[in-house]
Amino acid sequence: MMCKRLDCFRGHSAIFCDKVSASFPFSIFTNAFSGIIFNSIDKWRIHMARRAGSSRSRDMAQKGVPPSPYIYRTIPHFDILDEGQILRLEGQVDWILQDVGIAFRDDSTALELWRREGATIEDDIVRAPADWIRALCAKAPSEFIQLARNRERSVVIGGNNQVFAPIYGAPFVRDLEGGRRYGDMKAFQDLVRLSYLHPNLHHGGFVTCEPCDVPVSKRHLDMLFAHMTLSDKPHLGAITEMSRAQDSVDMAEIVFGADVMEDNCVIMGNVNTNSPLLVDKVVTESARVYSSRGQGLIVVPFILSGAMGPVSTAASVAQAMAEAMMVCAYVQLLRPGAPFVLGNFLSSMSLKSGAPTFGMPEPVISNYAIGQLARRAGLPLRCGGSLTASKVEDAQAAYESADSMHSTMLAGANFVLHSAGWLEGGLCTGFEKLIMDADRLGSYQKLLSLGLDISDDALARDAYQEVGAGGHFLGCAHTMRHYQNAFYETALSDSENVESWEETGSQDMRRRANVRVKKMLSDYEAPPMDDALKGELEAFVAKRKEELPNAWY
């Protein structure tokens, strides 16, 4: 095999040399490669054997990725706005808060609280001085911990920390064997298992798909039970009705205990404002359930520019800030210091068809801009992740997802929902897409958490002393110390030569991801859980299901 590879390499080098200048010193490279094989054969055989083993039996511990339940960022944020631009956008935010106002609809309790605190109320429109709203927002922590059932998996949200969570809310699922279909409880449970198993996903999210075979009125109970028993990572709770939010908090109390919940965030709700400029009772009632108990609330204006906001990206960014900050202020009126995450989901759209578009320059810029504004407001930020309008894991999906995720990463989003699995504009969860996206998250994790190492060992002076001019570094002591973790190595990408790829079935990445999904699920073992605790959860779920009628909408 070694000689075959060398012959193949020499063949490629001959073709390459025909295409470049005759003065190109390619013989140096081929001679060096031959020297590696024949002059350092023992060390190189060990190296190649280990490398081949890692590529054929790839475990989930990807090379070069520091193990962590979340990412602590060490590199700077990518800030695109100068001081003048920031002040102009903040002036627009203040104008919306003070002069335009935000509607709080279908919830007289919320309006009464605003009225009692001194806001101006006209019908259901709430207006308030911007400096007061900002002062209220300043009461929210800029950084907080969400405890996990397994405390080693707890995450820090805010500050220089970044947390990756999978897709949320898709009614459909897709894989290579089953194609596109409505989500069901089996698919949901498998997605919870996969999110639990993958080291690059730090958080379980909640609705990794809608289990459409269970009544809407009861499915949140089964979903919560799955997250709490099939995984020990942190997760979100239900929000669609106040009673479902309450069930989420009650089940979290069973797992963590009331005393722990009093002083710690153990569960969060993720809600959307009804853009433009409308906060409905789903948001305010969720706030009363989660925030009043000191639990986290993520509020995300979902703005398709040109539909739920102006076609101007700057206007939509300011609108998103105003909507989210108004809810943050409401949360702090309910309970000062309650954890809050300011969200941004701004998408461009096709003005011909009305379809949302992803990975485009306008939402990419919005991530950078709102990252700066959120840090100025002292609030943790949530953005979308690997977003695409593509229906399958094709080139469109790769380009759009990469551009979306890269801007989210550089913008400093502290909590990234939809980091993996998103297809079809969020209508579908792809099993293969989940694993493909999560695989790429490892590269972001290394980039964010390690940056450029310039230690004495990284500068490798001993390697230069060992290897003379015209030599090679592959067999030297420095390389042998570091080769296992020197470079990020993905679990799914195939970097072998074409002969090796053909020998293993010529699989593309979708097929390799499909194989990995099956392997992960077959190897899955549930994290340990106290039998009495699990029994208490089962009893709660059974009791609530008896109390609730079946409802499918």
Side-chain angles (χ1 to χ4, degrees):
M1 187 65 176
M2 201 70 71
C3 292
K4 178 180 177 181
R5 292 192 177 200
L6 183 57
D7 290 339
C8 176
F9 179 84
R10 285 172 172 155
H12 285 308
S13 73
I15 294 170
F16 185 77
C17 285
D18 286 341
K19 296 182 179 180
V20 298
S21 168
S23 63
F24 183 81
F26 205 82
S27 61
I28 295 175
F29 189 38
T30 55
N31 289 339
F33 192 88
S34 300
I36 292 168
I37 302 280
F38 300 113
N39 298 333
S40 302
I41 190 69
D42 292 335
K43 289 181 179 179
W44 187 243
R45 276 178 176 160
I46 293 171
H47 171 79
M48 290 299 290
R50 288 174 177 169
R51 186 171 186 270
S54 69
S55 65
R56 287 174 171 79
S57 59
R58 307 197 178 191
D59 57 25
M60 292 309 298
Q62 290 172 300
K63 289 185 178 182
V65 181
S68 174
Y70 59 94
I71 298 169
Y72 179 78
R73 181 192 189 102
T74 64
I75 67 172
H77 299 100
F78 185 57
D79 294 337
I80 65 169
L81 303 176
D82 62 30
E83 184 69 13
Q85 291 172 310
I86 291 174
L87 291 175
R88 188 161 176 79
L89 282 173
E90 288 181 337
Q92 176 83 353
V93 173
D94 293 351
W95 173 73
I96 293 173
L97 295 172
Q98 295 177 158
D99 298 333
V100 179
I102 307 292
F104 279 70
R105 190 161 296 170
D106 300 326
D107 190 345
S108 59
T109 302
L111 286 172
E112 180 55 36
L113 177 59
W114 278 116
R115 183 177 288 109
R116 189 169 67 246
E117 294 293 332
T120 300
I121 310 295
E122 183 179 345
D123 296 326
D124 59 7
I125 304 295
V126 179
R127 298 182 181 90
D131 57 352
W132 179 46
I133 298 300
R134 290 185 181 278
L136 286 171
C137 289
K139 296 179 183 292
S142 59
E143 182 176 306
F144 64 92
I145 298 172
Q146 183 185 355
L147 292 183
R149 180 163 70 84
N150 177 354
R151 297 297 195 270
E152 294 182 356
R153 298 187 186 275
S154 299
V155 295
V156 182
I157 298 174
N160 284 324
N161 308 292
Q162 296 190 243
V163 174
F164 294 152
I167 183 175
Y168 185 111
F172 298 98
V173 296
R174 176 187 288 276
D175 60 25
L176 283 180
E177 281 80 19
R180 185 181 188 269
R181 60 197 184 276
Y182 278 106
D184 56 22
M185 186 53 66
K186 180 183 182 304
F188 177 82
Q189 291 170 339
D190 281 345
L191 289 166
V192 171
R193 293 183 178 103
L194 292 170
S195 299
Y196 159 69
L197 286 171
H198 208 293
N200 297 341
L201 290 170
H202 313 118
H203 195 283
F206 186 51
V207 191
T208 42
C209 77
E210 285 283 358
C212 299
D213 55 338
V214 180
V216 172
S217 56
K218 300 179 179 181
R219 69 177 59 157
H220 67 287
L221 297 164
D222 292 326
M223 295 161 72
L224 286 162
F225 185 79
H227 276 288
M228 291 175 173
T229 59
L230 300 178
S231 172
D232 59 7
K233 290 182 176 179
H235 60 85
L236 305 174
I239 50 89
T240 49
E241 282 191 0
M242 194 170 185
S243 64
R244 296 168 194 167
Q246 190 62 55
D247 286 338
S248 304
V249 171
D250 291 344
M251 290 179 70
E253 184 173 322
I254 291 172
V255 173
F256 291 92
D259 55 339
V260 173
M261 283 189 70
E262 183 61 29
D263 299 319
N264 298 278
C265 174
V266 303
I267 194 168
M268 299 192 295
N270 179 80
V271 294
N272 297 108
T273 57
N274 200 344
S275 303
L277 308 176
L278 173 59
V279 177
D280 60 24
K281 68 177 183 178
V282 170
V283 176
T284 52
E285 289 180 350
S286 293
R288 289 205 291 278
V289 173
Y290 286 97
S291 304
S292 296
R293 286 295 305 275
Q295 302 308 296
L297 192 70
I298 307 167
V299 175
V300 188
F302 181 15
I303 301 174
L304 293 181
S305 293
M308 291 91 97
V311 292
S312 160
T313 301
S316 294
V317 165
Q319 177 186 320
M321 284 293 299
E323 290 178 11
M325 288 175 65
M326 200 69 168
V327 180
C328 181
Y330 175 73
V331 164
Q332 300 312 308
L333 292 176
L334 291 171
R335 180 164 173 159
F340 181 88
V341 180
L342 182 150
N344 175 52
F345 195 101
L346 190 151
S347 176
S348 54
M349 62 182 292
S350 168
L351 295 178
K352 296 178 181 178
S353 68
T357 54
F358 302 98
M360 301 299 134
E362 294 82 12
V364 165
I365 290 173
S366 80
N367 284 336
Y368 296 136
I370 210 159
Q372 287 183 257
L373 294 173
R375 284 191 290 280
R376 292 258 297 198
L379 294 172
L381 174 65
R382 194 223 100 170
C383 289
S386 302
L387 311 178
T388 180
S390 183
K391 317 308 178 282
V392 296
E393 301 86 349
D394 58 6
Q396 178 186 344
Y399 292 140
E400 293 176 352
S401 295
D403 287 348
S404 297
M405 188 66 211
H406 200 262
S407 65
T408 290
M409 173 197 66
L410 290 181
N414 304 110
F415 184 79
V416 185
L417 206 55
H418 315 308
S419 293
W422 174 290
L423 284 171
E424 233 183 288
L427 290 175
C428 187
T429 301
F431 275 80
E432 290 84 13
K433 179 73 157 45
L434 183 87
I435 300 306
M436 291 163 67
D437 289 339
D439 184 63
R440 298 307 305 166
L441 295 179
S443 64
Y444 296 131
Q445 182 157 318
K446 183 172 184 181
L447 174 62
L448 289 166
S449 60
L450 294 182
L452 179 63
D453 180 7
I454 56 171
S455 65
D456 288 345
D457 193 39
L459 293 175
R461 291 188 178 184
D462 62 314
Y464 288 105
Q465 292 169 349
E466 179 182 345
V467 178
H472 62 80
F473 290 90
L474 282 172
C476 76
H478 183 273
T479 300
M480 299 310 291
R481 287 200 308 271
H482 295 289
Y483 78 88
Q484 288 184 309
N485 296 301
F487 306 122
Y488 177 72
E489 187 173 324
T490 74
L492 287 180
S493 294
D494 189 314
S495 302
E496 302 300 320
N497 59 36
V498 68
E499 290 83 4
S500 297
W501 176 68
E502 290 172 345
E503 287 173 3
T504 55
S506 305
Q507 294 183 343
D508 63 13
M509 184 174 276
R510 289 184 76 195
R511 178 57 61 185
R512 293 194 295 273
N514 178 264
V515 171
R516 175 153 291 278
V517 166
K518 293 175 180 176
K519 179 71 163 57
M520 290 171 68
L521 292 176
S522 68
D523 292 347
Y524 168 83
E525 294 182 7
M529 187 177 203
D530 180 75
D531 288 339
L533 182 62
K534 186 174 182 180
E536 191 173 352
L537 284 173
E538 289 173 332
F540 180 92
V541 169
K543 180 175 181 296
R544 288 292 291 134
K545 282 187 171 183
E546 289 180 2
E547 296 168 350
L548 295 170
N550 286 341
W552 292 94
Y553 56 89

